[in-house]
Amino acid sequence: MDKNNLEYATLAGGCFWCVESCFHMLKGVDSVISGYSGGHKANPTYEEVSAGTTGHAEVVQIAYDPKIISYKQLLEVFWFLHNPTTLNRQGNDIGTQYRSAIFYHSDKQKQDAEESLKASEDKQEWNGKYVTEIVPFEKFWSAEAYHQGYYNANPNQPYCSAVVGPKIQKFKKHFGELGWLNEKAEN
């Protein structure tokens, strides 16, 4: 992987624990960092974001090599991993911090995001109208250290075993069949 030519995607698909592990399993992804974006407070904490007072969404910031995996492919994973038709909610996680959003880093990413949303909606991958925000990226704040790699460190935590684990298994089956997973993820 050419670390000098990495690009970034910043995506909000509900709880960052639920999507971080999956994106990290993809070929061409260098790193996935859980954090916060889209709000009005500098250096927000998890407690502040969870209270819904900062305007931030829980996001993952993905560093990837576009020669190995494209932004459009990352968006295919994004649509697969969460329900983009539920406003400010993913399952039992409720609040603006769990909204569906794409924070684009360039005009090309904006165009790709708009086209990808329309294509997913047209295929009726989810029932209903998509409520995903497509907004310019402004700032990313990394979440606290204990959130990074949370599922891998805490697979038996009740939320992880009930929500994250099944999502990862579904993801591995689907994207493993497409050959998108790195070798470690397929084991």
Side-chain angles (χ1 to χ4, degrees):
M1 188 173 324
D2 185 358
K3 293 194 182 254
N4 293 321
N5 291 312
L6 294 178
E7 293 184 14
Y8 295 87
T10 306
L11 305 170
C15 173
F16 45 42
W17 298 346
C18 291
V19 296
E20 177 198 41
S21 294
C22 293
F23 278 110
H24 197 70
M25 292 181 209
L26 295 169
K27 290 178 185 174
V29 169
D30 181 65
S31 65
V32 183
I33 300 172
S34 291
Y36 316 110
S37 201
H40 54 76
K41 183 177 187 307
N43 300 306
T45 66
Y46 179 70
E47 289 73 23
E48 291 168 331
V49 173
S50 293
T53 60
T54 68
H56 290 89
E58 288 192 13
V59 300
V60 289
Q61 188 161 76
I62 305 160
Y64 66 99
D65 184 338
K67 292 178 182 167
I68 300 172
I69 190 166
S70 71
Y71 184 67
K72 286 185 176 184
Q73 288 173 309
L74 292 174
L75 293 176
E76 285 183 50
V77 173
F78 173 72
W79 301 125
F80 183 86
L81 290 177
H82 81 293
N83 183 341
T85 69
T86 55
L87 184 62
N88 301 327
R89 178 182 193 147
Q90 288 299 308
N92 290 328
D93 295 328
I94 301 170
T96 58
Q97 66 272 29
Y98 300 114
R99 67 187 180 268
S100 175
I102 299 169
F103 297 92
Y104 60 85
H105 291 251
S106 67
D107 289 340
K108 176 70 171 128
Q109 280 192 355
K110 178 183 180 187
Q111 179 183 346
D112 288 348
E114 290 169 346
E115 290 172 2
S116 180
L117 182 150
K118 183 172 180 353
S120 182
E121 205 171 38
D122 287 350
K123 286 190 264 183
Q124 298 180 343
E125 292 176 333
W126 294 93
N127 290 328
K129 177 138 178 64
Y130 285 30
V131 295
T132 304
E133 299 173 356
I134 299 175
V135 295
F137 172 81
E138 292 180 10
K139 183 76 176 159
F140 171 81
W141 284 275
S142 180
E144 295 80 354
Y146 72 92
H147 289 295
Q148 308 307 325
Y150 190 85
Y151 175 79
N152 290 338
N154 302 281
N156 296 319
Q157 189 261 14
Y159 182 89
C160 288
S161 61
V163 178
V164 184
K167 184 176 290 219
I168 289 172
Q169 292 310 310
K170 180 180 167 188
F171 163 82
K172 286 170 94 172
K173 181 178 185 327
H174 181 79
F175 288 97
E177 289 172 358
L178 295 176
W180 289 22
L181 302 183
N182 66 41
E183 291 174 17
K184 290 189 292 185
E186 293 177 38
N187 297 330

